[in-house]
């Protein structure tokens, strides 16, 4: 298990380095000019050249990439447009001249919103997706199976933007059954925290639960025919206990891997959901950075999203290896 752990850790580091290089290359390939954004629209050519020099954009791209990676690892000092030094402690993801703060600080300010949204949505996904998939598998071919399959097909077909705007119009502005979506810190008022996010949770969870339901159903049906499950039934173990103890564990591998990928992606920012419901999370920050040509923030949010995905996929692989020894021996 230790060897497998070290192998997955090395792979995760390699992926993060590759993503960092790709994001940095896209930063320089983008048509927008970070120096122009920092200097402002009334900046003349001499001022623009001075700003580009102070930002280090006139240096070779390899030297800039080395400084960026060094800043991520050990921190660095960034020069403002006025030539003033700005300390940027590790992990330094650059400085946003649009927001006038380090990129990491901007992400940290908005991360609690994204974490709250992801936590609630994942709870809905697990309850609806795995619950309905398990129920459908246990009632294969019956009306319950067909009803749940149709329900999951609806969730897989609908778009988050359409469903989000529709439910806001019906449940918030027309009937007043739900409060307008907003974020209140959990430590400040748990009740208002939940009420302000319940509608985004339901929308994001319902749309994503369909994949888990179909995968759970197919994996359960496949595992039910394995020899060790039939042996447990022959020995007199009850149907429900057999499926919970043996079938569910045998079918858990792909579900855990998908859950790890989904968790990392949600923590990286639910771009559409945060935009539709006006929540100021990491996803909304990335969207605003793209529209505002704030390239350092774009690169920083991409790296943070990639970090969460890589970490949670690696954790999911470790859980799968613990569930199935054949994985770590492969």
């Amino acid at each position: 298990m230790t060897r497998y752990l070290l192998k997955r850790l090395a792979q995760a580091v390699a992926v993060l380095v590759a993503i960092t290089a790709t994001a940095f290359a896209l930063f320089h390939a983008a048509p927008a000019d970070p120096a122009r954004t920092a200097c402002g629209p009334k900046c003349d050519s001499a001022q623009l050249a001075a700003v580009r020099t102070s930002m280090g954009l006139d240096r070779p791209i390899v030297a800039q990439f080395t400084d960026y990676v060094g800043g991520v690892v050990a921190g660095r000092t960034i020069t403002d447009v006025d030539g003033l030094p700005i300390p940027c402690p590790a992990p330094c993801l650059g400085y946003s001249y649009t927001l006038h703060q380090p990129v990491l600080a901007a992400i940290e300010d908005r991360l609690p919103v994204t974490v709250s949204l992801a936590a609630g949505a994942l709870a809905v996904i697990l309850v609806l997706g795995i619950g309905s998939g398990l129920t459908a598998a246990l009632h294969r071919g019956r009306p319950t199976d067909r009803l749940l399959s149709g329900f999951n097909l609806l969730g897989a077909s609908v778009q988050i933007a359409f469903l989000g705007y529709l439910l806001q119009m019906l449940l918030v502005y027309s009937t007043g059954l739900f409060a307008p979506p907003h974020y209140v810190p959990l430590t400040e008022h748990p009740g208002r925290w939940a009420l302000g996010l319940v509608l985004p949770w339901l929308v994001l969870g319902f749309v994503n639960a369909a994949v888990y339901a179909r995968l759970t159903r197919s994996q359960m049906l496949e595992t039910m025919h394995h020899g060790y499950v039939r042996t447990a039934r022959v020995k007199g173990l009850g149907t429900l206990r057999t499926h919970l103890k043996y079938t569910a564990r045998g079918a858990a591998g792909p579900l855990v891997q998908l859950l790890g990928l989904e968790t990392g992606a949600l923590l990286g920012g639910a771009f559409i959901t945060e935009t539709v419901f006006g929540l100021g999370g990491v996803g909304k920050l990335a969207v605003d950075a793209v529209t505002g040509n704030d390239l350092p923030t774009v690169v920083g949010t991409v790296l943070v999203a990639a970090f969460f995905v890589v970490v949670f996929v690696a954790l999911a692989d470790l859980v799968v290896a613990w569930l199935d020894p054949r994985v770590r021996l492969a």
Side-chain angles (χ1 to χ4, degrees), residues 15 22 24 28 33 50 90 94 119 122 141 154 167 191 198 217 230 256 262 289:
V15 170
T22 303
F24 195 81
H28 285 273
D33 187 358
L122 286 172
L154 176 63
L167 292 184
V198 63
R217 182 181 182 276
R230 293 197 298 267
V256 171
E262 187 73 28

Side-chain angles (χ1 to χ4, degrees), residues 18 28 57 79 90 106 111-112 116-117 129 135 140 145 176 199 207 211 218 255-256 295 303 322 325:
H28 285 273
L57 297 176
T79 305
L111 191 58
S116 298
L117 178 61
T135 304
R140 180 184 182 184
D145 182 19
L199 197 57
V207 172
V211 179
S218 63
L255 292 173
V256 171
L295 295 183
L303 293 181
W322 174 73

Side-chain angles (χ1 to χ4, degrees), residues 82-108:
D82 298 325
L84 300 176
I86 302 174
C88 185
C92 178
L93 301 180
Y95 185 84
S96 172
Y97 295 93
T98 301
L99 301 174
H100 303 288
Q101 64 178 147
V103 173
L104 183 60
I107 294 175
E108 289 176 342

Side-chain angles (χ1 to χ4, degrees), residues 43-58:
C43 197
D44 57 32
S45 58
Q47 293 173 323
L48 183 62
V51 170
R52 184 172 285 109
T53 300
S54 66
M55 295 175 65
L57 297 176
D58 59 339

